[in-house]
Amino acid sequence: MKAVVIKEPGNISLQNVEIPEPQPGFVRIKVKAAAICATDLEVLDGNIPANYPLTPGHEWSGVVDAVGSEKDTSWIGKRVIGSSDVVCLTCDACRSGNWRYCKDFEEIGFRRNGAYAEYAIMPAYGLCELPENVSFETGALCEPLGVALGTLEKAEAKFGQTCLIIGAGSIGLCMLAAAKAMGMKDIVVCATTKGRLDIAKKLGASHVIATKETDLMEAMKSIHPYGTDVVVDCTGIEECIQMSLKLARKGGTVALAGYGRGKIMNIRIDDIHINNLRVVGAGNNWNKHKTAVTLMKDGMVNLECCVSERITLEDYAKGLEMARKRPEGFVKAIFVNE
Ligand SMILES: [Zn+2]
Ligand SMILES: [Zn+2]
């Protein structure tokens, strides 16, 4: 089969490799769609711990093609999405549903081969059926949508609360879709340029702010005069995090959903201390695939407008370059296997 392989940081190519066989507890997916994520670029650049050689790809959908255990036979032929978390299922963390805290946690696409390939091996326990009315392309986006749902849950965001989302990349836009679906109000999305903000408007943002043209701090004074209930930083950029802490209302919440790339940052502790802010770390997905797929099925969330480019595995270099350069209005490039 064809698979995109990172041999070592900086060295990526399309290769012919053997079709993998599922071990007990796992299934083989005929991959139908796999979205390129910014973290895949970090793996390519060697900035995130990974096991090389590696096929990246943790945002995927497909059809179950083979199973490793007889008890999973009923999955064969089903359209699915699913968790990329490989865990023990028996430790205290797993039994409380906190797979990310499992002592044996490994994520497919980082420690194990992922979905930039014709076939991929995924854990049977993480599968969710993909309804016929959700396309494979948008189904693959249940993963970042799940990240957004998990972030808002960690932030204890509530119906009717105000929300400011800093950054309009795929996580920012999924955050908006999730905030909208759960009934938050006066949702503001800001980004440096306008391209992705048009998509934010389509997804139902109440206000969009292009920070190259409009001063965010100034604009927020009239939009949320007493500060914002829940501010979500989706950038991991120092200046944005500093602003988040100033824009949350007294007693409000700041959720950090952007990757900080290991950087040490200057923040004013008094912004948190004096205003009694809750600052929550909200990286990664939290087993929200099922909720994500239900929201799509019921039409509460439609991420069609986030699929910017459909590419084949042969065109991987083009897809990665787009993900890196993020041209105006670009959100996601997605590998599509016929
Ligand atoms: Zn991702
Ligand atoms: Zn465990």
Side-chain angles (χ1 to χ4, degrees):
M1 69 163 184
K2 284 176 283 193
V4 176
V5 181
I6 303 174
K7 197 173 160 211
E8 63 205 357
N11 178 346
I12 188 165
S13 60
L14 183 68
Q15 295 192 1
N16 249 316
V17 300
E18 249 177 70
I19 295 177
E21 288 301 324
Q23 316 88 298
F26 288 75
V27 301
R28 183 170 66 209
I29 305 289
K30 186 170 186 348
V31 179
K32 288 296 197 175
I36 297 179
C37 176
T39 49
D40 300 335
L41 299 174
E42 303 288 344
V43 171
L44 175 58
D45 296 344
N47 296 334
I48 286 185
N51 289 342
Y52 304 99
L54 177 84
T55 294
H58 57 275
E59 302 178 5
W60 57 271
S61 63
V63 175
V64 178
D65 154 85
V67 296
S69 309
E70 208 163 309
K71 67 175 171 55
D72 296 322
T73 312
S74 61
W75 280 112
I76 291 179
K78 292 225 164 98
R79 304 168 90 241
V80 292
I81 57 147
S83 171
S84 302
D85 297 352
V86 178
V87 296
C88 79
L89 293 180
T90 58
C91 72
D92 285 352
C94 283
R95 290 170 71 157
S96 61
N98 291 308
W99 289 2
R100 284 273 162 174
Y101 302 157
C102 174
K103 59 181 178 15
D104 298 330
F105 176 80
E106 286 189 326
E107 188 173 6
I108 288 167
F110 299 89
R111 297 289 186 182
R112 292 169 173 241
N113 285 333
Y116 288 12
E118 289 179 275
Y119 295 89
I121 301 295
M122 296 291 165
Y125 51 76
L127 294 177
C128 301
E129 200 164 341
L130 184 67
E132 286 294 338
N133 70 343
V134 183
S135 70
F136 284 116
E137 286 99 324
T138 49
L141 302 182
C142 282
E143 205 280 338
L145 180 60
V147 172
L149 293 165
T151 298
L152 294 176
E153 187 176 294
K154 286 238 167 308
E156 293 175 16
K158 290 179 186 69
F159 172 85
Q161 285 192 320
T162 58
C163 185
L164 164 64
I165 296 160
I166 301 187
S170 55
I171 293 295
L173 292 170
C174 284
M175 205 67 67
L176 162 63
K180 189 86 191 158
M182 69 175 286
M184 297 189 83
K185 67 162 190 187
D186 293 336
I187 305 168
V188 184
V189 179
C190 71
T192 44
T193 59
K194 276 193 177 139
R196 278 178 284 274
L197 291 176
D198 288 339
I199 300 173
K201 270 189 220 154
K202 271 188 211 154
L203 287 172
S206 319
H207 306 265
V208 295
I209 298 170
T211 54
K212 265 195 184 153
E213 293 155 26
T214 307
D215 183 82
L216 177 66
M217 302 294 291
E218 208 43 49
M220 290 308 293
K221 278 184 195 162
S222 55
I223 301 175
H224 298 161
Y226 300 101
T228 307
D229 292 319
V230 178
V231 181
V232 186
D233 174 71
C234 301
T235 68
I237 294 169
E238 185 171 15
E239 192 194 352
C240 296
I241 294 170
Q242 289 164 342
M243 282 193 287
S244 302
L245 298 174
K246 295 200 187 306
L247 289 168
R249 70 158 162 84
K250 290 188 162 85
T253 300
V254 174
L256 303 179
Y259 177 50
R261 291 172 188 77
K263 226 184 132 190
I264 308 284
M265 299 183 191
N266 280 313
I267 55 169
R268 190 170 169 267
I269 296 297
D270 289 346
D271 290 335
I272 303 169
H273 170 79
I274 293 172
N275 294 327
N276 304 135
L277 298 188
R278 288 174 62 242
V279 179
V280 296
N284 26 75
N285 193 299
W286 286 92
N287 286 347
K288 297 292 170 200
H289 291 82
K290 225 170 212 165
T291 315
V293 85
T294 305
L295 289 172
M296 287 188 183
K297 174 178 169 247
D298 294 349
M300 308 268 294
V301 169
N302 183 348
L303 296 178
E304 202 68 54
C305 53
C306 295
V307 181
S308 320
E309 194 76 26
R310 292 167 173 82
I311 51 170
T312 60
L313 287 169
E314 281 81 1
D315 268 341
Y316 73 92
K318 178 184 162 197
L320 290 169
E321 178 162 306
M322 291 191 91
R324 205 180 281 282
K325 294 197 174 146
R326 308 200 334 150
E328 186 79 344
F330 171 88
V331 184
K332 279 282 191 189
I334 300 194
F335 289 111
V336 179
N337 293 332
E338 287 311 319

